[in-house]
Amino acid sequence: MAGGGFSASGAGGKEFEAKITPIVIISCIMAATGGLMFGYDIGVSGGVTSMDPFLKKFFPTVYKRTKDQGLNSNYCKYDNQGLQLFTSSLYLAGLTATFFASYTTKRLGRRLTMLIAGCFFIVGVILNAAAQDLAMLIIGRILLGCGVGFANQAVPLFLSEIAPTRIRGGLNILFQLNVTIGILFANLVNYGTAKISGGWGWRLSLGIAGFPALLLTLGAIFVVDTPNSLIERGHLEEGKNVLRKIRGTDNIEPEFLELVEASRIAKEVKHPFRNLLQRRNRPQLIISVALQIFQQFTGINAIMFYAPVLFSTLGFGSSAALYSAVITGAVNVLSTVVSVYSVDKLGRRILLLEAGVQMLISQVVIAIILGIKVTDHSDNLSHGWGIFVVVMICTYVSAFAWSWGPLGWLIPSETFPLETRSAGQSVTVCVNLLFTFVMAQAFLSMLCHFKYGIFLFFSGWIFVMSLFVFFLLPETKNVPIEEMTDRVWKQHWLWKRYMVDDDDVDVVKKNGHANGFHPSAQL
């Protein structure tokens, strides 16, 4: 039974009939639990690394340093490569797994790839919760990273392909919403388990990750694969039946024929990764890669990974640090909901540009306060100033949560054509995980060396990325995926120059030489 109805624009100006059916909503919610697992992994690591029993067992040198009142710098208490490796190893493993996930997503389908991710998650959680030494702990994190690589490859594609066009943005952001819920859930769990006597609370924190892992695995078993994926793999009748179910109407022939044609064109591409480098695919590739790099250089993951550690460095007590992390996690969730409701109404660009201004101001204010109040050897943050810092961090987090967080995943997933979509998503996830790894591995050392200047470093990048959005990012709101080339890329002042085949460029160059013109004058 349909929950609502509307028309989704198809190719050539046709209208595809589509309804918001229960199967679409349920499938998207279950698939987006991959984000819940990803978010929990982000949030839980910062909490357990601020727990004394965890540090004492796995990182005794860091534990001694946090208790040493004569330490050279307040900013350097947690500066330890091994401790950072505990957090970052997950993302390095995810980076490697992404290449395998690209193959399974294309050959085995989006649903089975999500199932593989769930299995990796479950095994990784077991090893982490039962860890007896650092090696066991890191291996568990690596397996979790494999799950992240597979989930981040399949889930955004699944959501983009199963959702009707006009709510594609909102449903896709369910993935990011679940990431933020996972972070908040992890912060709440850490706040509770830190109070457990006996020193085993960190095991419970790591073990509870099994709950979202199980949700993702069960979800992958019961959801249907996308019509795009089924048709791409030759299951035409099954693809048509699924399309009929998810659209809630029998009038699916026009959309079905368009998907079949898109699949036919895609199959002509024998080397999708090589095809990504072709001239007509460069705008999508450049924007997708840039968005992932910029997303990490907002500084958000560094702050979310190490929120309790960061607040502890700034003079908050252990409980206050975890409590402050819970507050920022809650703001993160609520602000992502704002994006769900506004992304298909206001558009992608306006959210990114507004958030750039808000994040820039917040980071500069935080840097000024810390530069004045927190020195290497003393912490002069009063209760009032401490609250103000938390408010500024929440202001920053809220802006990210309705912009760069969800849109960094949404925009790449909806801009690549079908023939390069799986490969494009693989590159997107790969770049994101690479720079997530870099930030996770480097942040505590950067905090030690840059001190309060770390926030000025991130604010500089926010200024650069806002300029990028203003000049180079086209609007993709309410544009069917199959029409992106004609309605978006060919209309952009710069990217329209790339919307020709490499063979056409060669012909133009040849003709240009023949007529006495320089080739560049023709482009």
Side-chain angles (χ1 to χ4, degrees), residues 86-335:
F86 164 69
T87 298
S88 66
S89 58
L90 183 149
Y91 305 97
L92 187 61
L95 169 65
T96 305
T98 296
F99 295 104
F100 297 97
S102 175
Y103 176 84
T104 61
T105 302
K106 188 175 180 67
R107 299 296 181 186
L108 305 180
R110 286 52 161 157
R111 186 186 72 86
L112 191 55
T113 302
M114 290 189 291
L115 181 61
I116 294 171
C119 294
F120 272 124
F121 278 137
I122 290 173
V123 177
V125 166
I126 293 171
L127 286 176
N128 266 188
Q132 297 300 315
D133 52 40
L134 185 58
M136 192 172 176
L137 193 69
I138 298 297
I139 291 172
R141 290 287 288 180
I142 288 173
L143 290 175
L144 288 174
C146 292
V148 166
F150 278 84
N152 283 10
Q153 170 75 13
V155 172
L157 280 182
F158 180 94
L159 295 174
S160 286
E161 292 177 349
I162 207 166
T165 299
R166 295 199 179 175
I167 60 168
R168 184 180 67 233
L171 287 182
N172 195 288
I173 289 175
L174 279 174
F175 177 75
Q176 181 65 23
L177 178 61
N178 274 268
V179 171
T180 63
I181 292 173
I183 293 171
L184 175 59
F185 183 41
N187 289 334
L188 289 169
V189 168
N190 287 333
Y191 184 68
T193 58
K195 300 179 181 299
I196 296 176
S197 59
W200 56 273
W202 63 269
R203 292 191 185 276
L204 185 58
S205 287
L206 297 176
I208 289 177
F211 174 68
L214 190 61
L215 282 180
L216 175 64
T217 306
L218 292 176
I221 292 173
F222 291 109
V223 299
V224 295
D225 215 336
T226 67
N228 309 60
S229 178
L230 291 167
I231 293 169
E232 188 179 22
R233 290 180 286 132
H235 306 300
L236 299 184
E237 279 306 311
E238 188 179 354
K240 180 182 283 190
N241 291 335
V242 170
L243 186 62
R244 186 177 293 112
K245 288 179 182 178
I246 66 176
R247 296 294 180 249
T249 177
D250 290 327
N251 185 26
I252 49 89
E253 197 66 23
E255 185 175 3
F256 174 73
L257 291 176
E258 183 170 284
L259 292 177
V260 171
E261 176 62 14
S263 177
R264 183 191 67 78
I265 295 172
K267 287 180 180 177
E268 294 177 357
V269 179
K270 302 301 181 184
H271 304 286
F273 282 99
R274 189 184 305 167
N275 193 52
L276 273 178
L277 300 177
Q278 292 185 1
R279 185 178 178 83
R280 67 178 180 273
N281 292 319
R282 285 178 201 164
Q284 301 96 314
L285 182 63
I286 291 170
I287 284 177
S288 296
V289 169
L291 288 179
Q292 303 315 304
I293 296 173
F294 288 151
Q295 187 191 69
Q296 295 311 308
F297 278 94
T298 61
I300 187 65
N301 274 345
I303 290 174
M304 299 312 276
F305 290 151
Y306 300 115
V309 170
L310 177 63
F311 287 124
S312 179
T313 297
L314 301 181
F316 291 68
S318 179
S319 295
L322 289 169
Y323 184 66
S324 300
V326 169
I327 293 174
T328 57
V331 169
N332 198 14
V333 173
L334 294 175
S335 300

Side-chain angles (χ1 to χ4, degrees), residues 1-66:
M1 179 177 178
F6 53 85
S7 293
S9 297
K14 298 188 295 293
E15 295 291 323
F16 293 149
E17 184 179 344
K19 298 177 180 179
I20 308 174
T21 57
I23 192 170
V24 168
I25 302 299
I26 293 171
S27 295
C28 289
I29 290 174
M30 296 181 81
T33 53
L36 187 66
M37 185 70 222
F38 188 24
Y40 190 89
D41 285 331
I42 290 174
V44 76
S45 59
V48 297
T49 52
S50 68
M51 295 181 188
D52 287 347
F54 178 84
L55 291 176
K56 194 181 297 184
K57 182 173 181 63
F58 297 107
F59 304 99
T61 56
V62 177
Y63 173 73
K64 292 177 182 177
R65 196 185 303 163
T66 60

